[in-house]
């Protein structure tokens, strides 16, 4: 780290009303922080942008505090320790932490996780071997309790989480896996990843397309989208079907409350389970998850996609692109 190094950060300049715009963000130049006792400075190399961040831009009570105005946003990041030493964390270590949206992060050493860049590309720890992969793994296998032979439907299936859900379902013995996505290219990619059927939700009513793709019904629904997709899934699900509700990106930017699924009464007769979940509640699965997924990666049985945008100044545009569905797989910013 050179003495004249500066630190650039992305601050939340104002709270979005509906869809975020570039004006909601501000690029700020600050000094590189100095570590105190128990702290380290990390030069971030990659940061993650994720759909859940949209909710944190609103000043509302939620499962995590909202982002503060005129302060850096945060989120998953990976980088190299360049200053400070505490416990077994020292300069030169590659670490995963939660203070993205800045080039240099001052982090409590207890809040970082050392990773081995020799085992996998460092970006994998933000995606397939990180929160994204664990979300897919826990939601499908623990929350929805998928059993071999069952039919699985995944919405937003070409995204970072959805693409993992579909592949894990196949690897764990699902009888049929169906995915929805937002473009012909993404549908083609899902087929290449091993999905048994995939459709573009722009091509017609989701219910009709899902019914055609799942003539024997759906046992497990992994929901990343909400809205019309959730309604369609409820309509097609079999008795005792289970839905893992991971996200509802279709309504994150809505200015009016969305209509509830109009067929919600079917939950009663079909005895369905619709269960929301947060990946943070499933840390007990991390060791098992890493062991199993790393094995699939080594064997070449599991693939993952990344969309990488270069430069901290492009982080807001990467986030907006994510909300518009411009990414294939995990959306990352290289700093």
């Amino acid at each position: 780290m050179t003495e004249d190094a500066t630190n650039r950060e992305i601050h939340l300049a104002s709270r979005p009303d509906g869809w975020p715009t570039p004006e909601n963000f501000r690029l700020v130049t600050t000094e590189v922080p100095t570590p105190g006792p128990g702290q380290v400075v990390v030069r971030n190399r990659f940061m993650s942008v994720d759909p859940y961040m949209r909710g944190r831009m609103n000043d509302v009570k939620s499962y995590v505090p909202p982002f503060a105005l005129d302060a850096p946003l945060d989120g998953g990041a990976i980088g190299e320790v360049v200053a400070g030493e505490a416990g077994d964390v020292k300069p030169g270590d590659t670490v995963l932490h939660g203070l993205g949206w800045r080039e240099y992060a001052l982090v409590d050493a207890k809040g970082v996780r050392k990773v081995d860049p020799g085992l996998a590309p460092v970006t994998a720890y933000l995606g397939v071997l990180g929160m994204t992969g664990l979300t897919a793994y826990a939601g499908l296998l623990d929350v929805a309790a998928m059993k071999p032979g069952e039919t699985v439907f995944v919405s937003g299936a070409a995204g970072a989480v959805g693409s993992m859900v579909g592949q894990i379902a196949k690897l764990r013995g699902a009888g049929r896996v169906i995915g929805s996505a937002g473009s012909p290219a993404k549908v083609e990619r899902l087929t290449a990843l091993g999905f048994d059927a995939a459709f573009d939700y722009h091509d017609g009513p989701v219910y009709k397309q899902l019914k055609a793709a799942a003539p024997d019904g759906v046992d497990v629904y992994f929901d990343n989208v909400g809205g019309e997709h959730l309604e369609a899934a409820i309509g097609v699900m079999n008795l005792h079907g289970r839905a893992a509700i991971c996200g509802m990106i279709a309504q994150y930017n809505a200015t009016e409350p969305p209509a509830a699924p109009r067929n919600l009464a079917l939950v009663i007769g079909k005895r369905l389970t619709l269960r929301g979940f947060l990946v943070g509640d499933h840390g007990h699965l991390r060791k098992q998850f890493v062991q199993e997924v790393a094995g699939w990666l080594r064997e070449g049985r599991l693939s993952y996609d990344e969309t990488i945008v270069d430069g901290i100044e492009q982080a807001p545009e990467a986030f907006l692109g994510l909300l518009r569905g411009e990414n294939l797989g995990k959306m990352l910013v290289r700093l």
Side-chain angles (χ1 to χ4, degrees):
M1 184 170 61
T2 61
E3 291 188 12
D4 59 350
T6 57
N7 184 28
R8 294 187 297 166
E9 307 173 336
I10 299 294
H11 289 205
L12 186 64
S14 58
R15 299 199 184 279
D17 180 18
W19 280 87
T21 67
E23 289 70 34
N24 296 128
F25 304 90
R26 182 183 299 118
L27 179 64
V28 176
T29 300
T30 66
E31 294 182 355
V32 176
T34 301
Q39 296 179 321
V40 293
V41 175
V42 180
R43 173 62 172 96
N44 288 333
R45 299 302 179 190
F46 290 91
M47 57 165 272
S48 173
V49 292
D50 301 284
Y52 79 86
M53 294 174 177
R54 175 61 188 88
R56 294 191 63 192
M57 293 177 183
N58 299 331
D59 190 14
V60 295
K61 186 176 181 180
S62 184
Y63 60 90
V64 285
F67 291 128
L69 287 174
D70 301 315
L73 294 93
D74 57 56
I78 195 162
E80 180 185 338
V81 175
V82 293
E85 188 167 348
D88 65 343
V89 181
K90 60 186 183 303
D93 288 342
T94 299
V95 297
L96 188 67
H97 62 93
L99 293 181
W101 295 85
R102 68 204 79 187
E103 291 174 323
Y104 291 89
L106 179 64
V107 191
D108 286 338
K110 291 181 179 178
V112 307
R113 182 159 63 91
K114 290 173 61 173
V115 299
D116 185 350
L119 288 180
V122 293
T123 54
Y125 294 103
L126 289 170
V128 61
L129 290 177
M131 181 183 75
T132 300
L134 182 57
T135 299
Y137 188 91
L140 177 70
L141 302 177
D142 197 24
V143 178
M146 188 209 83
K147 304 180 190 71
E150 291 188 319
T151 295
V152 177
F153 172 46
V154 189
S155 58
V161 172
S163 59
M164 297 300 302
V165 173
Q167 292 181 85
I168 292 170
K170 292 296 292 184
L171 288 163
R172 278 297 199 96
R176 185 169 177 79
V177 177
I178 302 156
S180 72
S183 73
K186 290 182 178 181
V187 168
E188 185 177 340
R189 179 58 180 155
L190 293 181
T191 303
L193 289 175
F195 283 67
D196 297 290
F199 60 86
D200 183 342
Y201 61 82
H202 294 112
D203 287 347
V206 175
Y207 176 79
K208 289 181 110 175
Q209 296 195 78
L210 179 58
K211 184 77 172 169
D216 296 322
V218 167
D219 302 298
V220 168
Y221 172 44
F222 195 104
D223 191 13
N224 292 305
V225 176
E228 184 187 1
H229 279 79
L230 178 56
E231 185 173 294
I234 290 171
V236 177
M237 286 174 81
N238 294 323
L239 286 178
H240 302 292
R242 290 93 61 208
I245 312 297
C246 177
M248 295 194 174
I249 198 169
Q251 64 195 56
Y252 286 167
N253 298 302
T255 55
E256 296 293 331
R262 294 166 296 178
N263 59 354
L264 201 55
L266 291 178
V267 170
I268 304 167
K270 292 187 175 188
R271 281 84 95 197
L272 303 180
T273 300
L274 312 182
R275 182 177 164 196
F277 76 100
L278 299 175
V279 66
D281 295 337
H282 298 272
H284 62 285
L285 292 175
R286 181 177 296 280
K287 185 175 180 181
Q288 171 188 321
F289 149 73
V290 169
Q291 185 174 22
E292 189 164 15
V293 172
W296 289 330
L297 288 171
R298 281 194 304 272
E299 296 162 6
R301 301 174 68 197
L302 188 147
S303 301
Y304 62 96
D305 295 310
E306 295 174 336
T307 300
I308 297 178
V309 175
D310 281 303
I312 183 73
E313 68 280 0
Q314 296 300 321
E317 184 53 39
F319 176 69
L320 299 179
L322 172 77
L323 295 181
R324 293 190 293 259
E326 295 173 0
N327 59 301
L328 185 63
K330 184 71 178 177
M331 181 70 96
L332 297 166
V333 179
R334 180 165 31 214
L335 306 179

